[in-house]
Amino acid sequence: MDLRGKPSSYSGQNKYTDEMNKYSPSKRSSTPLSRRDLLKLATTSAAGASGVWWPGASWAQARISANPFTLGVASGSPTPDGVVLWTRLLPSGLFAALGVESASVRWEVAHDDKFQRMVKQGTSQATAQLAHSVHVEVTGLEPDRWYFYRFHAGDFTSQTGRTRTLPAPGAKVDKLRLAYASCQHWEHGYYSAYRHLAQEQLDLVLFLGDYIYEYPGTPNALRTASGNWVQSLSDYRQRYALHKSDADLQAAHSACPWLFTWDDHEVQNDYAGETVGFSRAAEPSTDFPKRRAAAYQAWYEHMPVRASVLTKALAGLVDRAAQPAEVRVYQSVRWGQLANLMLLDPRQYKDPAVCNQADRPGSAVIDPKACAPLNDPARSMLGKAQENWLAQQLSDKGTAWQVLGQATLIGPFAASNRISNDGWDGYPAARERLLASLANSSASNVVLGGDVHANWVGHVKADYSKPRSKVLASEFCGTSITSRPTPATREVMDARLAKNPHYVFAENEKRGYGVCELTPAGLKTTLRVVDDVTKSDSGISTLASFAVQIGKPAVERI
């Protein structure tokens, strides 16, 4: 039966609409919502996301007179029986808004792109408090299946997206094809890489950090980022809207589901936990905890992630004694018996960098021999809880591959006997604990990273001081989508490779992404790079390809 045919008295309507009306801006004073009320609103919205459309719903409705789907659609957080569908209503340009009223958004999931074989449909409320974003947590789907989805608001229909569910946990699976990407600075180039990524016939995309950049005024910018320093909730929302207005990025999001972690620029350059970072001397000072909270909320509003990501953080802010105020980003996704995919959070629980000159915040390049605090075993990149979670994940059996997605290089990256204290080099004891967890894995391990704006390929070693030490994992650290690298000639890159022999390949001039194809027999990783990031219609080519056999983590170029 067509769910849209349900009468307005359908069971559950009154309770849901009454709760929504309670928090509708038209039903309350102009005083901003408290964290407790916002928590209730987010929880209520999540609970109603899979409901049906009630034509007679009584909540105040925004008037939609122009296409509100200017930021496209996306999906993510897949499970064997469901997925999160996302959009944000923003008509008439980047900085227009619907005002303070909510908007009712219908959604549809079908087996076909003509929506003739409907599977699920319902409604969700896009509220001003959450930037009129929509997070539909669809359930009741079949495992290991592709679906099509779209949204309706007013008289307008969104573009059609394609998504899929995970295989059942114990299912035998022949293949997983995924891409990894990071670092998409708007001012540094066009997102032509995403136009090509959308054609790769992928099952998943792993995004590994720096979805936006928070600072303005890049020298020789190819395209200008609107706004100035990104610090308030409004600022972050505008910067995300700018990025999501790009047609090539929209195409990549609509091609398949994405999984996400973040790095520093989603908040501020080189921040660590609750400690302020440092972008430039000209950056205005802020209330950093407030800024970080705004950044985390805006990230949630623009990603196809579950409402629990936000509600747990809000619950912790309301009652810190009951639970920490964390935005839970680290996660695992199991692809049948083939692979366990883990995404780490390298920022939220991170201890501050040490040995900066004059105690300046952020990061620095330091001499590790002159920095005694560097080796403090209590210091962590991930925090104790996430470290323990990761150790448990890596010790679990049942999959042929363990794939670890995180923001940067795992292996040492010494240059002229100096290191960056922001990456894993700046947390050697934490890295040793990570290596111990990898050593405890009975599967074949793959580590994916980003951040450094260059392609690095190599081996994760049990003991990097011994060239013949056991290889624990293959490592593929990707280049950026657009972000410029630190300038280095081919001779400099060759010298870095010679100094860090656990890596077998390095290239810093090209922008793009990586594609991994996993099977029960092995892994093939292809480095895809655009010809010219300064051209919106750039072509693409394969820079290099590598293979890893199951049970033999050595990387071979093919």
Side-chain angles (χ1 to χ4, degrees), residues 377-410:
R379 298 182 66 247
S380 179
M381 279 272 283
L382 305 177
K384 183 177 181 180
Q386 188 176 186
E387 284 190 7
N388 292 340
W389 170 86
L390 178 59
Q392 180 61 51
Q393 289 288 321
L394 289 170
S395 67
D396 284 350
K397 296 178 174 59
T399 59
W401 296 94
Q402 296 270 31
V403 181
L404 187 59
Q406 46 86 57
T408 190
L409 288 166
I410 294 287

Side-chain angles (χ1 to χ4, degrees), residues 252-280:
H253 272 299
S254 66
C256 67
W258 286 37
L259 299 173
F260 299 87
T261 188
W262 51 30
D263 197 15
D264 52 342
H265 290 291
E266 284 88 352
V267 180
Q268 183 191 28
N269 181 59
D270 292 342
Y271 86 97
E274 296 182 351
T275 302
V276 66
F278 179 82
S279 293
R280 297 178 194 162

Side-chain angles (χ1 to χ4, degrees), residues 10 20 73 91 100 113 131 185 188 194 227 332 368 382 431 443 554:
Y10 180 73
M20 292 301 297
V73 301
V100 298
D113 61 358
H185 199 305
H188 287 183
Y194 280 133
S332 65
L382 305 177
R431 178 163 56 198

Side-chain angles (χ1 to χ4, degrees), residues 189-211:
Y190 292 104
Y191 293 163
S192 51
Y194 280 133
R195 184 176 69 258
H196 298 288
L197 181 146
Q199 304 300 318
E200 294 278 6
Q201 297 299 308
L202 302 168
D203 294 302
L204 291 170
V205 172
L206 306 187
F207 190 82
L208 302 179
D210 292 344
Y211 197 96

Side-chain angles (χ1 to χ4, degrees), residues 180-185 194 205-213 240 243 258-267 299 303 329 343-347 405-408 448-453 478-483:
Y180 57 97
S182 63
C183 304
Q184 51 188 39
H185 199 305
Y194 280 133
V205 172
L206 306 187
F207 190 82
L208 302 179
D210 292 344
Y211 197 96
I212 63 168
Y213 283 73
Y240 276 106
H243 285 60
W258 286 37
L259 299 173
F260 299 87
T261 188
W262 51 30
D263 197 15
D264 52 342
H265 290 291
E266 284 88 352
V267 180
W299 181 87
M303 299 297 147
V329 174
L343 287 172
L344 302 185
D345 180 347
R347 288 289 166 184
Q406 46 86 57
T408 190
L448 305 177
D451 180 55
V452 296
H453 307 175
T479 187
S480 59
I481 291 294
T482 58
S483 304

